[in-house]
Amino acid sequence: MKTMLDERSKSLLKTLVERYIADGQPVGSRTLSKASGLELSPATIRNVMADLEELGLIASPHTSAGRIPTARGYRLFVDTMLTAQPALLGADARPIETQLQPDQPQRVIASAAHLLSSLSSFVGVVTAPRKPSVFHHIEFLRLGERRVLVIMVSPDGDVQNRVIFTAQDLNQAELAEASNRLNAHYAGLTLEAVRERLRSEVDALKGEIGLLMNTAVQVGTEALEHEEERVVISGERNLLTVQDFNNDMGSLRRLFEMFEQKTQLMRLLDVSSRAEGVRIYIGGESQVVPFEELSIVSAPYEVDGQVVGTLGVIGPTRMAYDRMIQIVDITSRMVSNALSQK
């Protein structure tokens, strides 16, 4: 797409996106002529805008002769035309340094979400650090025919209880054999490591006992992931004042449902955690962001060099991306520093 545009077209697209972000109004050819600083006739500008519209980079709202950027236009702008300014935040960066001091992880995460929201005036979101899924001790107790209670204890004393159903009825002696084998050979390993080892050693295990152990590991993994996959959200009400949303109650309702249920949000942020540095997801360009009017600027954060969570800003596609990138980047580094200090 970039190679299909000459310098004049790129300059006008950049100006149009910047004007629309700043003013929130469709940009006409006269405004574009003044703002771009290019010595072009209105007819030439109209022709360039027609070409940009044909390429799917801008669109014309029904109620205006001006143009607005599409998701495709925003993506080209973000990827090739955006230049971050190091001192953009200025004094606004100081609250991040002062409020994200080494403390309890939950307090750092809550403070980070609040800061992201207050600095951006949109929604701040942070996924809590995931603890490694490690078990210290496991027990199987027979509850009745083909019903078994799995008791799993983590190294820090957390206890998970789950009832599972087995294909065959097992007596307590057989269940004790499975418990003893897991505790003797696998305690202290992550559940993922246990699963891999069980997979390679399945032939050495008795059929039903092997299935029981694999089922227990799967249940433990799901339980621990469910406990740890928490999302801290701050500033949802800010979207009520966003011009792009406040006239569309349907969009607002769907957005608040996403914040309330969090499952969809977790999947989205999980994609972000696998990327390096700041990433921008623009609604309408893919299935990653489910709402056309929404953009997400996110970045992973680390503890002692390991990525443990994601944070970001959720707001309208018409946002000051250069500023949001800096807010997210600085907050990510400060959270990493605060959580890595013992």
Short mmCIF file of all heavy atoms in Angstrom, two decimals, residues 230-293:
data_model
loop_
_atom_site.label_atom_id
_atom_site.label_comp_id
_atom_site.label_asym_id
_atom_site.label_seq_id
_atom_site.Cartn_x
_atom_site.Cartn_y
_atom_site.Cartn_z
N ARG A 230 -6.78 -12.68 35.67
CA ARG A 230 -7.58 -11.55 36.13
C ARG A 230 -7.20 -10.30 35.35
O ARG A 230 -6.03 -10.08 35.05
CB ARG A 230 -7.36 -11.35 37.62
CG ARG A 230 -7.94 -12.46 38.49
CD ARG A 230 -7.42 -12.35 39.90
NE ARG A 230 -5.99 -12.56 39.93
CZ ARG A 230 -5.21 -12.17 40.94
NH1 ARG A 230 -5.70 -11.52 41.94
NH2 ARG A 230 -3.92 -12.42 40.89
N VAL A 231 -8.20 -9.51 35.05
CA VAL A 231 -7.98 -8.27 34.33
C VAL A 231 -8.42 -7.11 35.22
O VAL A 231 -9.52 -7.12 35.76
CB VAL A 231 -8.78 -8.23 33.01
CG1 VAL A 231 -8.43 -6.97 32.23
CG2 VAL A 231 -8.51 -9.46 32.19
N VAL A 232 -7.53 -6.13 35.39
CA VAL A 232 -7.87 -4.93 36.15
C VAL A 232 -8.19 -3.82 35.15
O VAL A 232 -7.36 -3.51 34.28
CB VAL A 232 -6.70 -4.50 37.07
CG1 VAL A 232 -7.07 -3.23 37.83
CG2 VAL A 232 -6.36 -5.63 38.04
N ILE A 233 -9.38 -3.26 35.24
CA ILE A 233 -9.85 -2.24 34.30
C ILE A 233 -10.16 -0.96 35.05
O ILE A 233 -10.74 -1.00 36.14
CB ILE A 233 -11.11 -2.72 33.55
CG1 ILE A 233 -10.82 -4.03 32.81
CG2 ILE A 233 -11.59 -1.66 32.57
CD1 ILE A 233 -12.06 -4.66 32.21
N SER A 234 -9.77 0.16 34.48
CA SER A 234 -10.05 1.45 35.11
C SER A 234 -10.49 2.45 34.05
O SER A 234 -9.92 2.50 32.95
CB SER A 234 -8.79 1.97 35.82
OG SER A 234 -9.02 3.24 36.39
N GLY A 235 -11.53 3.22 34.36
CA GLY A 235 -11.93 4.33 33.49
C GLY A 235 -12.94 3.99 32.42
O GLY A 235 -13.05 4.73 31.44
N GLU A 236 -13.71 2.90 32.61
CA GLU A 236 -14.71 2.57 31.58
C GLU A 236 -15.67 3.73 31.31
O GLU A 236 -16.08 3.97 30.18
CB GLU A 236 -15.53 1.33 31.98
CG GLU A 236 -14.71 0.09 32.25
CD GLU A 236 -14.51 -0.13 33.72
OE1 GLU A 236 -14.00 0.79 34.39
OE2 GLU A 236 -14.89 -1.20 34.22
N ARG A 237 -15.99 4.47 32.37
CA ARG A 237 -16.96 5.56 32.22
C ARG A 237 -16.41 6.69 31.34
O ARG A 237 -17.19 7.51 30.85
CB ARG A 237 -17.35 6.11 33.60
CG ARG A 237 -18.12 5.10 34.45
CD ARG A 237 -18.55 5.72 35.78
NE ARG A 237 -19.50 6.81 35.57
CZ ARG A 237 -20.81 6.63 35.43
NH1 ARG A 237 -21.33 5.41 35.46
NH2 ARG A 237 -21.60 7.66 35.25
N ASN A 238 -15.10 6.73 31.14
CA ASN A 238 -14.54 7.75 30.25
C ASN A 238 -15.11 7.64 28.84
O ASN A 238 -15.20 8.64 28.11
CB ASN A 238 -13.02 7.63 30.18
CG ASN A 238 -12.33 8.10 31.44
OD1 ASN A 238 -12.93 8.85 32.22
ND2 ASN A 238 -11.10 7.69 31.65
N LEU A 239 -15.48 6.42 28.43
CA LEU A 239 -16.00 6.23 27.09
C LEU A 239 -17.36 6.89 26.90
O LEU A 239 -17.77 7.16 25.77
CB LEU A 239 -16.10 4.73 26.76
CG LEU A 239 -14.78 3.96 26.73
CD1 LEU A 239 -15.02 2.52 26.30
CD2 LEU A 239 -13.77 4.62 25.80
N LEU A 240 -18.06 7.16 28.01
CA LEU A 240 -19.36 7.82 27.91
C LEU A 240 -19.23 9.25 27.39
O LEU A 240 -20.18 9.81 26.85
CB LEU A 240 -20.05 7.84 29.28
CG LEU A 240 -20.44 6.47 29.85
CD1 LEU A 240 -20.97 6.64 31.28
CD2 LEU A 240 -21.47 5.78 28.98
N THR A 241 -18.05 9.84 27.56
CA THR A 241 -17.85 11.22 27.13
C THR A 241 -17.14 11.32 25.78
O THR A 241 -16.92 12.42 25.27
CB THR A 241 -17.01 11.99 28.17
OG1 THR A 241 -15.70 11.38 28.28
CG2 THR A 241 -17.68 11.96 29.53
N VAL A 242 -16.78 10.16 25.20
CA VAL A 242 -16.09 10.17 23.91
C VAL A 242 -17.10 10.44 22.80
O VAL A 242 -18.11 9.74 22.69
CB VAL A 242 -15.37 8.82 23.66
CG1 VAL A 242 -14.81 8.78 22.25
CG2 VAL A 242 -14.25 8.64 24.68
N GLN A 243 -16.82 11.43 22.01
CA GLN A 243 -17.74 11.85 20.95
C GLN A 243 -18.09 10.69 20.01
O GLN A 243 -19.23 10.55 19.57
CB GLN A 243 -17.12 12.99 20.16
CG GLN A 243 -17.92 13.45 18.94
CD GLN A 243 -17.18 14.50 18.15
OE1 GLN A 243 -16.37 15.26 18.68
NE2 GLN A 243 -17.41 14.54 16.85
N ASP A 244 -17.11 9.84 19.72
CA ASP A 244 -17.32 8.76 18.77
C ASP A 244 -18.29 7.71 19.27
O ASP A 244 -18.83 6.93 18.49
CB ASP A 244 -15.98 8.09 18.44
CG ASP A 244 -14.92 9.08 18.00
OD1 ASP A 244 -14.56 9.95 18.82
OD2 ASP A 244 -14.45 8.98 16.86
N PHE A 245 -18.52 7.65 20.59
CA PHE A 245 -19.38 6.63 21.17
C PHE A 245 -20.69 7.14 21.73
O PHE A 245 -21.67 6.41 21.80
CB PHE A 245 -18.64 5.90 22.31
CG PHE A 245 -17.42 5.16 21.87
CD1 PHE A 245 -16.25 5.22 22.63
CD2 PHE A 245 -17.42 4.42 20.70
CE1 PHE A 245 -15.12 4.53 22.22
CE2 PHE A 245 -16.29 3.73 20.30
CZ PHE A 245 -15.15 3.78 21.06
N ASN A 246 -20.71 8.41 22.19
CA ASN A 246 -21.84 8.83 23.03
C ASN A 246 -23.16 8.95 22.28
O ASN A 246 -24.21 9.14 22.90
CB ASN A 246 -21.52 10.15 23.77
CG ASN A 246 -21.16 11.28 22.82
OD1 ASN A 246 -21.45 11.23 21.63
ND2 ASN A 246 -20.52 12.32 23.36
N ASN A 247 -23.14 8.86 20.96
CA ASN A 247 -24.40 8.88 20.22
C ASN A 247 -24.81 7.49 19.74
O ASN A 247 -25.78 7.34 19.01
CB ASN A 247 -24.28 9.82 19.00
CG ASN A 247 -24.17 11.28 19.43
OD1 ASN A 247 -24.78 11.68 20.41
ND2 ASN A 247 -23.39 12.05 18.70
N ASP A 248 -24.04 6.48 20.13
CA ASP A 248 -24.32 5.12 19.68
C ASP A 248 -24.43 4.21 20.89
O ASP A 248 -23.45 3.63 21.35
CB ASP A 248 -23.20 4.64 18.74
CG ASP A 248 -23.53 3.30 18.08
OD1 ASP A 248 -24.48 2.63 18.52
OD2 ASP A 248 -22.82 2.92 17.13
N MET A 249 -25.63 4.11 21.44
CA MET A 249 -25.83 3.32 22.65
C MET A 249 -25.58 1.84 22.40
O MET A 249 -25.17 1.11 23.31
CB MET A 249 -27.25 3.53 23.18
CG MET A 249 -27.52 4.94 23.69
SD MET A 249 -26.29 5.48 24.92
CE MET A 249 -26.59 4.29 26.22
N GLY A 250 -25.79 1.38 21.18
CA GLY A 250 -25.53 -0.02 20.87
C GLY A 250 -24.06 -0.37 21.02
O GLY A 250 -23.70 -1.40 21.61
N SER A 251 -23.19 0.50 20.50
CA SER A 251 -21.75 0.27 20.62
C SER A 251 -21.31 0.34 22.07
O SER A 251 -20.51 -0.49 22.53
CB SER A 251 -20.98 1.30 19.79
OG SER A 251 -21.19 1.12 18.42
N LEU A 252 -21.83 1.32 22.80
CA LEU A 252 -21.48 1.44 24.21
C LEU A 252 -21.89 0.20 25.00
O LEU A 252 -21.15 -0.30 25.85
CB LEU A 252 -22.14 2.68 24.81
CG LEU A 252 -21.40 4.00 24.64
CD1 LEU A 252 -22.24 5.15 25.18
CD2 LEU A 252 -20.04 3.98 25.32
N ARG A 253 -23.07 -0.31 24.70
CA ARG A 253 -23.56 -1.49 25.42
C ARG A 253 -22.64 -2.68 25.16
O ARG A 253 -22.28 -3.43 26.08
CB ARG A 253 -24.98 -1.81 24.97
CG ARG A 253 -25.66 -2.87 25.83
CD ARG A 253 -27.09 -3.11 25.39
NE ARG A 253 -27.90 -1.90 25.52
CZ ARG A 253 -28.37 -1.19 24.49
NH1 ARG A 253 -28.10 -1.57 23.26
NH2 ARG A 253 -29.09 -0.10 24.69
N ARG A 254 -22.22 -2.87 23.91
CA ARG A 254 -21.34 -3.99 23.58
C ARG A 254 -19.98 -3.82 24.23
O ARG A 254 -19.36 -4.80 24.69
CB ARG A 254 -21.20 -4.11 22.07
CG ARG A 254 -22.45 -4.63 21.38
CD ARG A 254 -22.19 -4.93 19.91
NE ARG A 254 -21.81 -3.73 19.18
CZ ARG A 254 -20.81 -3.66 18.31
NH1 ARG A 254 -20.05 -4.72 18.11
NH2 ARG A 254 -20.53 -2.54 17.68
N LEU A 255 -19.49 -2.59 24.29
CA LEU A 255 -18.20 -2.34 24.93
C LEU A 255 -18.24 -2.67 26.41
O LEU A 255 -17.35 -3.34 26.94
CB LEU A 255 -17.80 -0.86 24.75
CG LEU A 255 -17.33 -0.45 23.36
CD1 LEU A 255 -17.09 1.05 23.31
CD2 LEU A 255 -16.05 -1.18 22.98
N PHE A 256 -19.30 -2.23 27.08
CA PHE A 256 -19.39 -2.49 28.51
C PHE A 256 -19.60 -3.97 28.81
O PHE A 256 -19.16 -4.48 29.84
CB PHE A 256 -20.49 -1.63 29.14
CG PHE A 256 -20.03 -0.25 29.48
CD1 PHE A 256 -20.06 0.77 28.54
CD2 PHE A 256 -19.53 0.04 30.74
CE1 PHE A 256 -19.63 2.05 28.85
CE2 PHE A 256 -19.09 1.32 31.07
CZ PHE A 256 -19.13 2.32 30.11
N GLU A 257 -20.25 -4.67 27.90
CA GLU A 257 -20.39 -6.12 28.06
C GLU A 257 -19.02 -6.79 27.96
O GLU A 257 -18.73 -7.74 28.70
CB GLU A 257 -21.33 -6.68 26.99
CG GLU A 257 -22.79 -6.38 27.25
CD GLU A 257 -23.68 -6.84 26.11
OE1 GLU A 257 -23.14 -7.33 25.08
OE2 GLU A 257 -24.91 -6.70 26.22
N MET A 258 -18.17 -6.29 27.07
CA MET A 258 -16.82 -6.85 26.95
C MET A 258 -16.02 -6.62 28.23
O MET A 258 -15.33 -7.52 28.71
CB MET A 258 -16.08 -6.22 25.76
CG MET A 258 -14.67 -6.78 25.55
SD MET A 258 -13.80 -6.07 24.13
CE MET A 258 -13.40 -4.44 24.75
N PHE A 259 -16.14 -5.41 28.80
CA PHE A 259 -15.42 -5.13 30.04
C PHE A 259 -15.96 -5.98 31.19
O PHE A 259 -15.20 -6.41 32.06
CB PHE A 259 -15.55 -3.64 30.40
CG PHE A 259 -14.88 -2.73 29.42
CD1 PHE A 259 -15.50 -1.57 28.99
CD2 PHE A 259 -13.63 -3.04 28.90
CE1 PHE A 259 -14.88 -0.72 28.09
CE2 PHE A 259 -13.01 -2.20 27.99
CZ PHE A 259 -13.63 -1.05 27.58
N GLU A 260 -17.27 -6.21 31.19
CA GLU A 260 -17.86 -6.96 32.29
C GLU A 260 -17.50 -8.44 32.21
O GLU A 260 -17.15 -9.06 33.22
CB GLU A 260 -19.38 -6.79 32.26
CG GLU A 260 -20.10 -7.46 33.42
CD GLU A 260 -21.59 -7.17 33.41
OE1 GLU A 260 -22.01 -6.22 32.73
OE2 GLU A 260 -22.33 -7.91 34.07
N GLN A 261 -17.56 -9.03 31.02
CA GLN A 261 -17.30 -10.45 30.88
C GLN A 261 -15.81 -10.78 30.91
O GLN A 261 -15.39 -11.82 31.41
CB GLN A 261 -17.92 -10.96 29.58
CG GLN A 261 -19.44 -10.87 29.58
CD GLN A 261 -20.02 -11.25 28.22
OE1 GLN A 261 -19.30 -11.55 27.28
NE2 GLN A 261 -21.34 -11.24 28.14
N LYS A 262 -14.99 -9.92 30.34
CA LYS A 262 -13.53 -9.99 30.39
C LYS A 262 -12.92 -11.14 29.58
O LYS A 262 -11.74 -11.10 29.27
CB LYS A 262 -13.02 -10.07 31.83
CG LYS A 262 -13.33 -8.84 32.67
CD LYS A 262 -12.68 -8.92 34.03
CE LYS A 262 -12.98 -7.67 34.84
NZ LYS A 262 -12.37 -7.72 36.18
N THR A 263 -13.70 -12.15 29.23
CA THR A 263 -13.13 -13.29 28.51
C THR A 263 -12.57 -12.87 27.17
O THR A 263 -11.44 -13.22 26.81
CB THR A 263 -14.21 -14.37 28.30
OG1 THR A 263 -14.78 -14.71 29.56
CG2 THR A 263 -13.61 -15.61 27.66
N GLN A 264 -13.36 -12.11 26.42
CA GLN A 264 -12.91 -11.63 25.11
C GLN A 264 -11.71 -10.71 25.26
O GLN A 264 -10.75 -10.77 24.48
CB GLN A 264 -14.07 -10.89 24.42
CG GLN A 264 -13.83 -10.59 22.96
CD GLN A 264 -15.08 -10.02 22.32
OE1 GLN A 264 -15.82 -9.27 22.97
NE2 GLN A 264 -15.33 -10.34 21.08
N LEU A 265 -11.73 -9.89 26.31
CA LEU A 265 -10.62 -8.98 26.57
C LEU A 265 -9.35 -9.76 26.90
O LEU A 265 -8.25 -9.39 26.47
CB LEU A 265 -10.99 -8.06 27.72
CG LEU A 265 -10.15 -6.81 27.94
CD1 LEU A 265 -10.08 -5.97 26.69
CD2 LEU A 265 -10.72 -5.99 29.09
N MET A 266 -9.48 -10.85 27.65
CA MET A 266 -8.33 -11.68 27.98
C MET A 266 -7.70 -12.27 26.73
O MET A 266 -6.48 -12.29 26.58
CB MET A 266 -8.73 -12.81 28.93
CG MET A 266 -8.73 -12.44 30.41
SD MET A 266 -7.12 -11.89 31.02
CE MET A 266 -6.07 -13.21 30.47
N ARG A 267 -8.53 -12.75 25.81
CA ARG A 267 -8.00 -13.33 24.56
C ARG A 267 -7.25 -12.28 23.77
O ARG A 267 -6.19 -12.54 23.20
CB ARG A 267 -9.14 -13.91 23.73
CG ARG A 267 -9.68 -15.23 24.25
CD ARG A 267 -10.46 -15.95 23.17
NE ARG A 267 -11.65 -15.22 22.77
CZ ARG A 267 -12.85 -15.40 23.30
NH1 ARG A 267 -13.03 -16.28 24.26
NH2 ARG A 267 -13.88 -14.70 22.85
N LEU A 268 -7.80 -11.08 23.74
CA LEU A 268 -7.18 -9.99 22.99
C LEU A 268 -5.82 -9.62 23.59
O LEU A 268 -4.83 -9.47 22.89
CB LEU A 268 -8.12 -8.79 22.99
CG LEU A 268 -7.93 -7.72 21.94
CD1 LEU A 268 -9.23 -6.95 21.77
CD2 LEU A 268 -6.84 -6.76 22.34
N LEU A 269 -5.78 -9.48 24.91
CA LEU A 269 -4.54 -9.11 25.57
C LEU A 269 -3.52 -10.23 25.53
O LEU A 269 -2.31 -9.99 25.56
CB LEU A 269 -4.82 -8.71 27.01
CG LEU A 269 -5.63 -7.42 27.17
CD1 LEU A 269 -6.03 -7.20 28.62
CD2 LEU A 269 -4.85 -6.22 26.66
N ASP A 270 -3.99 -11.47 25.44
CA ASP A 270 -3.08 -12.60 25.33
C ASP A 270 -2.30 -12.52 24.02
O ASP A 270 -1.12 -12.86 23.95
CB ASP A 270 -3.85 -13.91 25.41
CG ASP A 270 -2.92 -15.12 25.48
OD1 ASP A 270 -2.04 -15.12 26.37
OD2 ASP A 270 -3.06 -16.04 24.66
N VAL A 271 -2.96 -12.04 22.96
CA VAL A 271 -2.26 -11.82 21.69
C VAL A 271 -1.17 -10.78 21.87
O VAL A 271 -0.05 -10.92 21.38
CB VAL A 271 -3.25 -11.37 20.59
CG1 VAL A 271 -2.51 -10.96 19.34
CG2 VAL A 271 -4.25 -12.48 20.28
N SER A 272 -1.48 -9.71 22.62
CA SER A 272 -0.51 -8.64 22.84
C SER A 272 0.70 -9.13 23.62
O SER A 272 1.82 -8.66 23.42
CB SER A 272 -1.17 -7.49 23.60
OG SER A 272 -2.31 -7.03 22.92
N SER A 273 0.50 -10.06 24.56
CA SER A 273 1.60 -10.50 25.41
C SER A 273 2.66 -11.27 24.63
O SER A 273 3.79 -11.41 25.07
CB SER A 273 1.07 -11.38 26.56
OG SER A 273 0.61 -12.62 26.07
N ARG A 274 2.29 -11.78 23.44
CA ARG A 274 3.25 -12.53 22.63
C ARG A 274 4.04 -11.62 21.70
O ARG A 274 4.89 -12.09 20.95
CB ARG A 274 2.51 -13.60 21.83
CG ARG A 274 1.85 -14.66 22.71
CD ARG A 274 1.42 -15.86 21.88
NE ARG A 274 0.34 -15.54 20.97
CZ ARG A 274 -0.96 -15.67 21.27
NH1 ARG A 274 -1.31 -16.08 22.48
NH2 ARG A 274 -1.88 -15.40 20.39
N ALA A 275 3.76 -10.32 21.73
CA ALA A 275 4.48 -9.37 20.88
C ALA A 275 5.54 -8.65 21.71
O ALA A 275 5.48 -8.60 22.93
CB ALA A 275 3.50 -8.35 20.28
N GLU A 276 6.51 -8.10 21.02
CA GLU A 276 7.56 -7.33 21.70
C GLU A 276 7.26 -5.85 21.54
O GLU A 276 6.93 -5.37 20.46
CB GLU A 276 8.93 -7.65 21.10
CG GLU A 276 9.42 -9.07 21.38
CD GLU A 276 10.82 -9.30 20.86
OE1 GLU A 276 11.46 -8.31 20.42
OE2 GLU A 276 11.29 -10.45 20.89
N GLY A 277 7.41 -5.11 22.65
CA GLY A 277 7.22 -3.67 22.59
C GLY A 277 5.77 -3.29 22.43
O GLY A 277 4.85 -4.09 22.61
N VAL A 278 5.54 -2.02 22.10
CA VAL A 278 4.18 -1.48 21.97
C VAL A 278 3.56 -1.95 20.66
O VAL A 278 4.20 -1.91 19.60
CB VAL A 278 4.20 0.06 22.02
CG1 VAL A 278 2.79 0.61 21.84
CG2 VAL A 278 4.79 0.53 23.35
N ARG A 279 2.33 -2.40 20.74
CA ARG A 279 1.58 -2.81 19.56
C ARG A 279 0.26 -2.07 19.52
O ARG A 279 -0.32 -1.76 20.56
CB ARG A 279 1.33 -4.31 19.57
CG ARG A 279 2.57 -5.16 19.30
CD ARG A 279 3.04 -4.98 17.86
NE ARG A 279 4.22 -5.78 17.56
CZ ARG A 279 5.47 -5.40 17.72
NH1 ARG A 279 5.71 -4.18 18.23
NH2 ARG A 279 6.48 -6.17 17.40
N ILE A 280 -0.21 -1.79 18.30
CA ILE A 280 -1.46 -1.07 18.11
C ILE A 280 -2.41 -1.96 17.32
O ILE A 280 -2.06 -2.44 16.24
CB ILE A 280 -1.24 0.26 17.37
CG1 ILE A 280 -0.32 1.17 18.20
CG2 ILE A 280 -2.57 0.96 17.09
CD1 ILE A 280 0.09 2.43 17.49
N TYR A 281 -3.60 -2.17 17.87
CA TYR A 281 -4.63 -2.97 17.21
C TYR A 281 -5.81 -2.06 16.91
O TYR A 281 -6.34 -1.42 17.81
CB TYR A 281 -5.05 -4.14 18.11
CG TYR A 281 -3.90 -5.05 18.47
CD1 TYR A 281 -3.17 -4.82 19.63
CD2 TYR A 281 -3.53 -6.09 17.64
CE1 TYR A 281 -2.09 -5.64 19.97
CE2 TYR A 281 -2.45 -6.91 17.96
CZ TYR A 281 -1.74 -6.68 19.13
OH TYR A 281 -0.67 -7.48 19.46
N ILE A 282 -6.18 -2.01 15.64
CA ILE A 282 -7.22 -1.08 15.19
C ILE A 282 -8.45 -1.87 14.78
O ILE A 282 -8.37 -2.79 13.96
CB ILE A 282 -6.71 -0.22 14.01
CG1 ILE A 282 -5.51 0.62 14.47
CG2 ILE A 282 -7.82 0.68 13.47
CD1 ILE A 282 -4.81 1.36 13.35
N GLY A 283 -9.58 -1.51 15.35
CA GLY A 283 -10.83 -2.20 15.06
C GLY A 283 -11.21 -2.09 13.60
O GLY A 283 -10.99 -1.06 12.95
N GLY A 284 -11.78 -3.16 13.08
CA GLY A 284 -12.24 -3.15 11.70
C GLY A 284 -11.23 -3.67 10.71
O GLY A 284 -11.59 -3.99 9.57
N GLU A 285 -9.95 -3.81 11.11
CA GLU A 285 -8.93 -4.29 10.16
C GLU A 285 -8.72 -5.79 10.26
O GLU A 285 -8.11 -6.40 9.41
CB GLU A 285 -7.60 -3.56 10.37
CG GLU A 285 -6.95 -3.85 11.72
CD GLU A 285 -5.55 -3.24 11.82
OE1 GLU A 285 -5.08 -2.68 10.83
OE2 GLU A 285 -4.95 -3.36 12.90
N SER A 286 -9.16 -6.41 11.37
CA SER A 286 -8.98 -7.85 11.55
C SER A 286 -9.95 -8.32 12.61
O SER A 286 -10.76 -7.55 13.14
CB SER A 286 -7.55 -8.16 11.99
OG SER A 286 -7.33 -7.71 13.31
N GLN A 287 -9.87 -9.61 12.93
CA GLN A 287 -10.74 -10.17 13.96
C GLN A 287 -10.18 -9.96 15.37
O GLN A 287 -10.80 -10.35 16.36
CB GLN A 287 -10.93 -11.68 13.71
CG GLN A 287 -11.64 -11.98 12.41
CD GLN A 287 -13.01 -11.34 12.34
OE1 GLN A 287 -13.81 -11.46 13.28
NE2 GLN A 287 -13.31 -10.66 11.25
N VAL A 288 -8.97 -9.38 15.47
CA VAL A 288 -8.34 -9.22 16.79
C VAL A 288 -9.16 -8.28 17.66
O VAL A 288 -9.45 -8.58 18.82
CB VAL A 288 -6.90 -8.69 16.64
CG1 VAL A 288 -6.28 -8.44 18.01
CG2 VAL A 288 -6.05 -9.70 15.87
N VAL A 289 -9.53 -7.14 17.11
CA VAL A 289 -10.37 -6.18 17.85
C VAL A 289 -11.79 -6.27 17.31
O VAL A 289 -12.01 -6.02 16.13
CB VAL A 289 -9.84 -4.74 17.71
CG1 VAL A 289 -10.69 -3.78 18.51
CG2 VAL A 289 -8.39 -4.67 18.17
N PRO A 290 -12.76 -6.64 18.14
CA PRO A 290 -14.10 -6.94 17.64
C PRO A 290 -14.97 -5.74 17.29
O PRO A 290 -16.03 -5.90 16.74
CB PRO A 290 -14.73 -7.73 18.80
CG PRO A 290 -14.01 -7.22 20.02
CD PRO A 290 -12.61 -6.90 19.58
N PHE A 291 -14.52 -4.53 17.61
CA PHE A 291 -15.34 -3.35 17.37
C PHE A 291 -14.62 -2.39 16.44
O PHE A 291 -13.48 -2.02 16.66
CB PHE A 291 -15.66 -2.64 18.69
CG PHE A 291 -16.31 -3.55 19.70
CD1 PHE A 291 -15.62 -3.95 20.82
CD2 PHE A 291 -17.60 -4.03 19.50
CE1 PHE A 291 -16.21 -4.79 21.75
CE2 PHE A 291 -18.19 -4.87 20.42
CZ PHE A 291 -17.49 -5.26 21.55
N GLU A 292 -15.32 -1.97 15.39
CA GLU A 292 -14.71 -1.10 14.39
C GLU A 292 -14.27 0.24 14.96
O GLU A 292 -13.31 0.83 14.51
CB GLU A 292 -15.69 -0.86 13.23
CG GLU A 292 -15.91 -2.08 12.35
CD GLU A 292 -16.71 -1.74 11.10
OE1 GLU A 292 -16.90 -0.53 10.85
OE2 GLU A 292 -17.13 -2.66 10.40
N GLU A 293 -14.99 0.73 15.97
CA GLU A 293 -14.71 2.07 16.48
C GLU A 293 -13.61 2.07 17.53
O GLU A 293 -13.29 3.11 18.10
CB GLU A 293 -15.98 2.64 17.12
CG GLU A 293 -17.23 2.55 16.24
CD GLU A 293 -17.99 1.25 16.45
OE1 GLU A 293 -17.43 0.37 17.13
OE2 GLU A 293 -19.10 1.12 15.92
#
